Amino acid sequence: MLFDRPRAVNVDLQTDATLQVDISDALSERDKVKFTVHTKSTLPNFKQNEFSVVRQHEEFIWLHDSFVENEEYAGYIIPPAPPRPDFDASREKLQKLGEGEGSMTKEEFTKMKQELEAEYLAIFKKTVAMHEVFLCRVAAHPVLRKDMNFHVFLEYNQDLSVRGKNKREKMEDFFKNVVKSADGVLVAGVKDVDDFFEHEKTFLLEYHNRVKDASSKSDRMIRSHKNAADDINRIASTLYTLGTQDSTDVCKFFLKVSELFEKTRKIEARVAADEDLKLADLLKYYLRESQAAKDLLYRRGRALVDYENANKALDKARAKNKDVLQAETSQQVCCQKFEKISESAKQELIDFKTRRVAAFRKNLVELAELELKHAKGNLQLLQSCVGVLKGDT
Amino acid sequence: QLEEEKDEDSFDMEVAVTNPEKIGKEYFFLTIFELMNRTFSVWRRFSDFLGLYEKLSVKHSLNGCIIPPPPEKSVVGMTKVKVGKDDSSSADFVERRRAALERYLQRVVCHPSLLQDPDVREFLERDELPRAVGTHTLSGAGFLKMINRASDAVSKMTIKISDSDAWFDNKLQEVESEELQLRKLHAVVDSLVNHRKELCGNTAVFAKSMAMLGNSEDNTALSRALSQLAEVEDKMETLHQEQAASDFFILAELLADYIRLLGAVRGCFEQRMKTWQRWQEAQSTLQKKREVEAKLLWANKPDKLQQAKEEITEWEGKVTQYERDFDRISVTVRKEFLRFEKQKSKDFKSQIVKYLESLLQSQQRHVKFWEAFLPEAKAIA
């Protein structure tokens, strides 16, 4: 199913000619979504300059997890995995509508069906955008873009056979434990000598929590907005029924008002949809990104602990004059690991800030422009309708 | 075929119900009326208004007059919307009652026959009214129950009286169908009010969380923009709150009023049917009396015959009287209905335009708020 959708807007990415990835098509089947991943590249690693493969959500997760597990990437913010496509709620509504077909008029049924289909399509577009953003982030990262698994993901045109649920569940458990202890390590850990990281730690802990809060509150607000728009829709329908009972003055009046409400509620629904796209999705994305940044700090914190322990072990070995060489080697490895992570982490966190500010700017500007556009649209509709109605009486 | 009667309101009385003041346990309202540039006012209790309705309904409902139904006594009534707190001292509740009393009284004084009624005059002029008794059955739910019971009984009869009766039949059907639609509409508007109140609360909560996020953000320009966004959302909350009030006080209450009024209209039609029934029953009683007379003539019983002749005369008189009553009520109901339709059309148009204007003003402020925010968003660097 081909469709028209704008470029993913949650992140500010530089398009690079040497590697460009996008999702050119997507197909929604019974309980899965098939994404067509399209690559254009001048890199020598690939057999062709342009090619496409079909991937499902689990394969994206496999790729993401492989990054997380890779020790080499410990010093990078791993682009957050896209959320699972969730059409359950939408499908349920469509089913309920089908069951209730007998209890409403043909117009009401057609109207509701159109809306639910539009809702389904919107969710679909969103999930495509989120999967695309993930791939683009990887493609834009100077190190991750060279990853072998990434290239396999992009090029190998067979099934990656990663849909072992057990494996995924194990991954999830592992991460749950990591997250639980991560905050603890970050908070209870020794105050970092490095001011930069100390500041980042404090900042990210608070920021992440507040983004989480803002994200859930924005969802609730937008849902109320949608509910109000639905009510206006039903008001328009009932006014229409009243208006068609007769051809008196007041009936003609009802018809005009019904028409107005039909138009304004479309605008209200658009307002809710745009707030969802520009605000709620933005917050959700930075919830995931800030978690990924926290994970980075956690990994660095753990490397620091390992380093400190290796130092202690070395002192002990020297004191006892036993296994000193082994302890020295171990300490050196830990030191290198820690320093490597610290170096790249610093740059990653700075880049994160830059991306965040740019994304917020873009989305807030677009949000304001859309809100203005809709409010002006509504205003014009109301002004012209009131003018006509007052002129008639 | 009667033509539509010409406009008879040469009296243009305006009323206002204001200044609710709590004295003891009840509220008194300052009732002001203006007629031909003269203004006078009296203090009235809520129960005074109900008492007026009771008196008017006893006198006029048998004539086929559409008596404006009294304002609801109970808070819950037809609506699931919580108007402020449930106790009678909340500002929203008092305002709702005040507005309802004003609309009620305005409808009473707009009615050319009711305005002449001595009880209405007394209501408008007398300094202090004696406390009305037994008004609990006549307000809100109790009133509706009465109307519904009456209509149940009558709708079981499907009688077509004469050719001209097709008009009454059609109109009654229209009224019933309209009432159904208005009830549906009222339920949806109710739902809208609740959702807007929810939106209001959720927006306020969201604004706070945005402010918190702005505080956390370490990029100065972005931090400021987020705080500004929080302020815009706070202003949105105010707009939503005002909008919910419009939804309720202008739209929902208009619909609730007319649902009750249509009930009263049905009551009139049913009253006319009862009058017709009474006439028919009298005619059949007269017929029976004549049969008795015939039998007595045969049996030759002069005493009983005299009584029978007297009864016949009595019933002939009743038949004539009841027929006249029926004709008169038919005329009244028809006239009342046409007046009602005109008034309804005027009411709906003016109230809905008022509602749309409130929506308009809200959108104008919407535009202002976002226009102010846009440069703040663009200033992020």
Side-chain angles (χ1 to χ4, degrees), chain B residues 10-162:
Chain B
S10 43
F11 291 106
D12 249 347
M13 182 182 280
E14 301 243 330
V15 299
V17 174
T18 63
N19 295 51
E21 260 185 47
K22 198 165 189 183
I23 302 173
K25 274 196 191 159
E26 45 184 6
Y27 272 93
F28 278 75
F29 298 89
L30 185 62
T31 311
I32 307 168
F33 27 103
E34 202 187 291
L35 178 64
M36 316 216 251
N37 288 319
R38 283 178 57 215
T39 313
F40 23 114
S41 60
V42 285
W43 285 95
R44 290 285 175 257
R45 308 176 192 88
F46 177 68
S47 56
D48 293 335
F49 288 80
L50 295 183
L52 176 65
Y53 171 79
E54 187 184 359
K55 291 185 193 137
L56 291 178
S57 121
V58 161
K59 270 191 277 177
H60 296 275
S61 56
L62 295 175
N63 302 342
C65 238
I66 300 172
I67 321 269
E72 293 212 353
K73 190 169 187 183
S74 79
V75 177
V76 178
M78 253 185 300
T79 177
K80 293 190 188 80
V81 175
K82 271 203 149 219
V83 188
K85 298 193 217 92
D86 265 352
D87 76 280
S88 56
S89 61
S90 95
D92 266 357
F93 176 81
V94 176
E95 168 55 26
R96 187 180 176 200
R97 180 157 276 189
R98 183 209 64 78
L101 290 174
E102 192 174 272
R103 294 193 304 274
Y104 165 67
L105 197 57
Q106 185 69 63
R107 291 197 177 101
V108 169
V109 304
C110 269
H111 195 302
S113 331
L114 292 182
L115 185 56
Q116 316 275 21
D117 187 292
D119 281 316
V120 175
R121 283 288 151 95
E122 184 188 59
F123 184 90
L124 296 176
E125 288 166 7
R126 189 159 162 188
D127 271 337
E128 233 190 87
L129 284 182
R131 196 179 283 279
V133 286
T135 53
H136 54 272
T137 50
L138 284 167
S139 65
F143 172 78
L144 267 181
K145 262 194 220 134
M146 261 184 7
I147 290 294
N148 289 334
R149 237 180 278 134
S151 71
D152 281 342
V154 174
S155 61
K156 285 186 186 120
M157 305 185 282
T158 44
I159 307 157
K160 195 151 164 230
I161 301 172
S162 65

Side-chain angles (χ1 to χ4, degrees), chain A residues 120-138:
Chain A
Y120 190 94
L121 188 62
I123 297 175
F124 186 68
K125 285 185 186 179
K126 255 207 231 187
T127 192
V128 168
M130 291 197 271
H131 283 74
E132 192 179 74
V133 160
F134 170 70
L135 293 178
C136 293
R137 278 270 279 122
V138 175

Side-chain angles (χ1 to χ4, degrees), chain A residues 176-189:
Chain A
K176 276 192 198 121
N177 290 327
V178 165
V179 169
K180 265 189 212 144
S181 51
D183 278 11
V185 167
L186 287 177
V187 169

Side-chain angles (χ1 to χ4, degrees), chain B residues 273-285:
Chain B
M273 285 309 290
K274 281 196 192 137
T275 314
W276 182 83
Q277 255 188 306
R278 192 176 60 166
W279 174 34
Q280 297 305 300
E281 280 161 14
Q283 279 184 317
S284 89
T285 309

Side-chain angles (χ1 to χ4, degrees), chain A residues 185-195 197-199 201-202 300 304 308:
Chain A
V185 167
L186 287 177
V187 169
V190 177
K191 181 170 156 70
D192 211 309
V193 172
D194 190 329
D195 275 343
F197 285 105
E198 185 58 29
H199 167 83
K201 183 172 81 184
T202 319
R300 178 178 172 277
L304 179 58
E308 285 169 351

Side-chain angles (χ1 to χ4, degrees), chain A residues 88-126:
Chain A
D88 288 346
S90 188
R91 232 178 257 132
E92 210 182 285
K93 278 194 215 167
L94 271 165
Q95 198 179 4
K96 264 199 197 136
L97 179 69
E99 285 166 6
E101 187 174 351
S103 69
M104 52 179 90
T105 69
K106 191 156 178 245
E107 287 103 15
E108 280 180 327
F109 178 74
T110 317
K111 224 187 191 185
M112 282 211 74
K113 186 154 176 273
Q114 276 173 351
E115 270 164 51
L116 286 180
E117 283 174 349
E119 196 180 294
Y120 190 94
L121 188 62
I123 297 175
F124 186 68
K125 285 185 186 179
K126 255 207 231 187

Side-chain angles (χ1 to χ4, degrees), chain A residues 4-18:
Chain A
D4 214 22
R5 82 276 174 285
R7 203 78 217 260
V9 289
N10 283 336
V11 287
D12 186 38
L13 299 164
Q14 288 169 320
T15 41
D16 189 335
T18 53

Side-chain angles (χ1 to χ4, degrees), chain A residues 323-340:
Chain A
D323 296 323
V324 172
L325 190 60
Q326 196 181 32
E328 274 178 350
T329 322
S330 171
Q331 190 257 26
Q332 263 180 353
V333 164
C334 284
C335 175
Q336 276 168 358
K337 184 175 169 196
F338 172 70
E339 284 175 352
K340 180 175 174 217

